[in-house]
Amino acid sequence: MLKALIKLEFHKNFFYYLTLFLFIFFWTFSCYYALSFYSLAIENFIKKSQNIEIYLFSNDKNLLDRIKKDLQAFVEFKKEIDSKALKKQIFEEVESTNITLDEELIPKVVIYKIKNYEYLQDIDKILKQFNNIYYIIEKPPISPHKLPFISIGLGIILLIFFLLYLALSFILIKLLMLRTEEETKTFQLLGGSIFKINLAKILVLYLFLLISTFLSIFLIYLINEKFKLLESLFNINIKTIDLKILSLVFLQIFIIQPLFILVLSKKC
Amino acid sequence: MPLITLERVTKIYPPYFRALNNISLSIEPGEFVLLTGPTGAGKTTLLKLIYREEEPTDGEIFWEGLPYSSLSYNDFLKIRRKMGIIFQDLKLFEDLSVYENIKLSLDLAEISLPKKRAEVIIYDYLERFDLSLKANKKVKFLSGGEKQKVGFIRAIIRDPDYIIADEPTGNIDPLSIKEILSILKELNQKGKTVLLATHDPIIIQQVEAKEIYLHKGELIPKC
Ligand SMILES: Nc1ncnc2c1ncn2[C@@H]1O[C@H](COP(=O)(O)OP(=O)(O)OP(=O)(O)O)[C@@H](O)[C@H]1O
Ligand SMILES: [Mg+2]
C-alpha cells in the first residue's frame, strides 16, 4: 500500500514539490552566502577594530629610528605588565616606503600597526614628545566597544532571514497538505490507513528536501571552486565550504526540517 | 445475526437540518437491498452513516452486533477494505489514469496480486465496459458515463464482501446499466451483500430485492 501511496504522492503533487524544491534550493543557497558574509563581516570588524595604524612622516632617519625604539620599548614594557599582551603580537612594522618624487620635500612614510586599541592614548603621548615629526594615528573605523552590538545586529538580520524562511516554507507545505485533504478522505474511505498516507507524504517531502539541499551544497561548491564568482564580482574571498556552515545546513536537513514536517503533518 | 443494524438513528446536518429521522432497520448478510426515495430523501446520508463517512447525531449503528462507537479506527479500516463503495460523487483521482485508479483500489484493500495477474483482471473488466482503450487516459478527460463505469469497476475489482452502490447508473446507457445490474446480481448470488441506492424506476423494476423507501428522512413502510 505504501508503495502505491508514494507513487501517487509523487504523481499528484509533482509541481508543488518542485516549487518547494526550488524554494529550499535557493534558500540553502542564499543562507550559505548570508552566513558566509556574516562570518566574514564579523571577522573583518574584529580585525579592523583592533588595529591602530600609525603613520610617521619624516626625512630624518635617526628620528624615525628613535621613535621606533621608543615604541618598541613601550610595547616591551606593556608586555611585561600586561600578561594578555604577551599572547598577541602587538607591534608590527607594516610598511616603510620612500616616495621618490622629491627626496628633499616628501618625507619618508613609516607605518606601524599596533593591535591593541587600549594603547592609543599612551602612543599618542609618546609621539607628542617628538615635536619635529608629523604623525597620524589612524583609529579603527569601529571601536571594539561597538563590536558586540554590530554582531548582534547582524545576527538579528540573519535571524529574521531565517524566520522568514520558516514562515514561507510553512505556508508552502501547508498548501501542499491542504490540496490533498479531500483525497486523503477518499483514501480512508477506500480503506487506506492514515498513518501510511502521512508516511508517504512525509517520505516524498523529505526526499525533495534532501535532494534540494544536497544539490545546493554541490552548486555552492562548484561556484566557489570553479568560477570564483563572488571573488570576481565583489572582491570577496569566501573560503570553500567551511565546517561551521556545513553543520548548519546539516542541522537544517536532519533536525529542523524533519521536525517541521512532522509538526505540520500532525496539524493537517 | 444481522450484518448491519440501525437503531433509532437520526442525522442532523449543522446548523439544523434533519436529513434522517429516527431510522431503525437491519440488513442481513447476503441480502440485496434497494434503497429508494425521491431526491433529498436521505439515501446518500444513510449510506454515509453505514460506511462511516458521517457519524449519527443520535442512535447507534451496529456491525455484526458491535456498535460503531466501540470499533476502533483500525478495526473499521479492515471492514472498509472488504467494502466496495460506489460514491454518488464518484471520488475518483482525476489526475490518475483509469488503470491507476482501479489498481489503487486493489492496493488500498491490501490485495497483493502478481503484477500480471492484476493486469489481466483489470483489463477484463475494462473490456466488459468498453473502456480498454482508455486505460491509460487520465480520469479527468473521461465523459460522465465513463467516469461512472470506472467508479463501478474500482469498487468491485477488490472482490468485496459488501457492495455499497450510491446511484451507480445515473449517466450510463441502458446496455451498461444492464451489465452493472447483472454483475451486482451475480455477486449477490455468490453470497455478497449488496446495498443499492437509486431513484431510477427502471432499476427498481428490474431488481428483485428488499426495498427500503425513504422520504424526507423518514422510513416509509411500502405496501
Ligand atoms: N453535508 C451536508 N450539509 C448539510 N446538508 C446536507 C449535507 N449533505 C446532505 N444534506 C442535505 O440532506 C438531505 C439529504 O441528502 P442526501 O444526499 O442524503 O439525499 P439523497 O436521497 O441521496 O438525494 P439524491 O437522490 O439526490 O442523491 C438533502 O436535503 C441535502 O441537502
Ligand atoms: Mg444521493
Side-chain angles (χ1 to χ4, degrees):
Chain A
M1 187 204 282
L2 190 64
K3 209 175 115 197
L5 287 171
I6 286 176
K7 214 174 121 198
L8 184 84
E9 191 64 28
F10 252 113
H11 201 107
K12 282 277 328 171
N13 294 320
F14 183 75
F15 285 101
Y16 283 78
Y17 283 121
L18 196 70
T19 318
L20 193 71
F21 167 85
L22 287 175
F23 174 72
I24 302 289
F25 178 79
F26 286 117
W27 179 77
T28 312
F29 206 71
S30 45
C31 187
Y32 171 76
Y33 282 114
L35 279 167
S36 303
F37 275 119
Y38 179 69
S39 61
L40 202 79
I42 296 290
E43 211 171 284
N44 269 349
F45 282 134
I46 289 169
K47 235 189 253 161
K48 282 228 174 94
S49 65
Q50 280 180 340
N51 286 340
I52 309 162
E53 286 183 1
I54 304 156
Y55 296 80
L56 302 174
F57 302 87
S58 173
N59 280 327
D60 189 340
K61 199 169 176 306
N62 290 334
L63 181 65
L64 286 173
D65 279 346
R66 257 170 57 214
I67 294 172
K68 188 177 171 181
K69 267 184 197 131
D70 271 22
L71 283 176
Q72 262 166 347
F74 165 73
V75 167
E76 287 304 315
F77 167 72
K78 277 290 175 191
K79 265 189 184 172
E80 266 168 38
I81 56 165
D82 188 354
S83 60
K84 249 199 332 196
L86 280 172
K87 288 193 190 119
K88 41 188 177 177
Q89 188 195 3
I90 55 171
F91 179 79
E92 151 185 34
E93 186 175 332
V94 176
E95 238 173 295
S96 178
T97 42
N98 269 320
I99 298 171
T100 50
L101 277 178
D102 191 330
E103 286 283 334
E104 290 298 304
L105 289 174
I106 309 291
K108 185 178 176 175
V109 183
V110 179
I111 304 167
Y112 293 115
K113 219 179 222 176
I114 291 186
K115 286 193 174 168
N116 294 49
Y117 186 79
E118 315 90 80
Y119 301 153
L120 191 73
Q121 270 161 359
D122 295 316
I123 288 165
D124 198 34
K125 261 183 222 156
I126 295 168
L127 292 175
K128 269 208 178 90
Q129 291 166 2
F130 304 92
N131 37 23
N132 46 356
I133 184 157
Y134 178 66
Y135 69 91
I136 300 168
I137 296 176
E138 187 90 57
K139 285 183 220 163
I142 298 143
S143 89
H145 313 296
K146 283 190 193 145
L147 193 70
F149 299 108
I150 288 163
S151 38
I152 287 169
L154 276 172
I156 287 171
I157 291 172
L158 214 70
L159 197 73
I160 290 171
F161 186 77
F162 186 70
L163 287 178
L164 205 71
Y165 155 75
L166 278 186
L168 277 172
S169 44
F170 187 88
I171 293 167
L172 259 165
I173 296 174
K174 188 102 186 151
L175 274 177
L176 197 78
M177 298 279 180
L178 273 183
R179 204 179 105 84
T180 54
E181 200 175 29
E182 187 59 36
E183 291 176 350
T184 305
K185 204 169 125 195
T186 308
F187 277 135
Q188 285 172 276
L189 292 178
L190 293 175
S193 95
I194 191 84
F195 173 74
K196 284 182 181 167
I197 294 166
N198 279 342
L199 194 66
K201 237 183 237 294
I202 287 168
L203 285 176
V204 174
L205 195 61
Y206 195 55
L207 189 74
F208 269 83
L209 286 173
L210 272 186
I211 296 172
S212 52
T213 313
F214 278 115
L215 208 72
S216 43
I217 291 174
F218 175 69
L219 221 86
I220 288 166
Y221 170 79
L222 209 72
I223 287 176
N224 279 347
E225 292 297 301
K226 300 272 180 259
F227 303 113
K228 310 260 178 225
L229 188 71
L230 280 170
E231 204 175 330
S232 56
L233 275 181
F234 307 111
N235 205 18
I236 292 174
N237 178 23
I238 289 184
K239 284 156 267 157
T240 47
I241 305 169
D242 68 56
L243 268 177
K244 209 168 30 185
I245 287 150
L246 207 64
S247 58
L248 253 160
V249 172
F250 276 90
L251 182 83
Q252 186 227 329
I253 307 174
F254 293 113
I255 296 168
I256 299 174
Q257 289 296 352
L259 274 177
F260 194 57
I261 297 168
L262 275 178
V263 169
L264 270 173
S265 55
K266 268 258 153 62
K267 276 199 162 179
C268 300
Chain B
M1 190 198 290
L3 179 70
I4 302 161
T5 312
L6 274 75
E7 258 182 31
R8 290 193 297 281
V9 168
T10 297
K11 176 68 189 176
I12 297 171
Y13 283 116
Y16 192 85
F17 183 82
R18 199 173 277 266
L20 288 177
N21 190 29
N22 209 18
I23 305 279
S24 296
L25 56 86
S26 64
I27 295 164
E28 298 296 328
E31 240 181 343
F32 197 126
V33 178
L34 263 183
L35 189 57
T36 59
T39 292
K43 301 182 294 293
T44 301
T45 305
L46 185 70
L47 295 181
K48 280 183 179 173
L49 290 176
I50 289 173
Y51 61 74
R52 219 178 178 181
E53 184 182 341
E54 297 279 356
E55 296 288 332
T57 316
D58 202 13
E60 182 69 89
I61 307 172
F62 300 84
W63 185 270
E64 292 177 334
L66 293 169
Y68 275 18
S69 53
S70 78
L71 291 169
S72 75
Y73 175 80
N74 280 325
D75 291 338
F76 206 80
L77 273 188
K78 280 182 202 134
I79 295 174
R80 275 202 192 125
R81 283 177 198 149
K82 288 192 226 153
M83 285 180 173
I85 309 172
I86 298 135
F87 305 95
Q88 188 167 19
D89 57 352
L90 299 177
K91 294 196 195 297
L92 294 169
F93 298 103
E94 298 271 317
D95 289 324
L96 294 188
S97 72
V98 170
Y99 184 87
E100 286 165 329
N101 263 283
I102 297 169
K103 178 73 170 55
L104 196 71
S105 171
L106 280 178
D107 291 330
L108 291 177
E110 306 216 299
I111 294 170
S112 47
L113 295 170
K115 208 178 164 196
K116 273 270 172 291
R117 178 98 188 87
E119 215 174 292
V120 168
I121 297 173
I122 292 171
Y123 271 95
D124 230 31
Y125 273 112
L126 289 175
E127 202 79 56
R128 254 174 113 165
F129 284 96
D130 211 12
L131 279 172
S132 50
L133 287 177
K134 310 242 157 120
N136 294 314
K137 243 198 166 124
K138 280 191 181 179
V139 164
K140 64 178 167 197
F141 298 126
L142 298 184
S143 75
E146 287 167 335
K147 281 184 190 173
Q148 204 152 36
K149 289 177 186 176
V150 176
F152 182 76
I153 299 172
R154 179 178 75 174
I156 56 165
I157 196 76
R158 40 167 67 179
D159 194 26
D161 292 339
Y162 324 106
I163 295 128
I164 297 175
D166 193 355
E167 222 78 68
T169 54
N171 303 307
I172 304 186
D173 56 286
L175 211 69
S176 302
I177 293 181
K178 246 179 121 181
E179 184 75 32
I180 286 179
L181 286 181
S182 80
I183 290 174
L184 287 179
K185 281 180 195 164
E186 202 180 294
L187 286 168
N188 181 239
Q189 264 151 27
K190 281 199 229 158
K192 320 269 183 188
T193 314
V194 179
L195 195 51
L196 172 61
T198 184
H199 51 210
D200 188 345
I202 298 167
I203 293 176
I204 300 170
Q205 269 178 12
Q206 282 186 11
V207 181
E208 273 179 50
K210 174 172 130 185
E211 191 177 336
I212 295 172
Y213 185 78
L214 284 175
H215 185 76
K216 288 190 176 166
E218 303 274 354
L219 193 67
I220 311 278
K222 263 224 145 171
C223 320

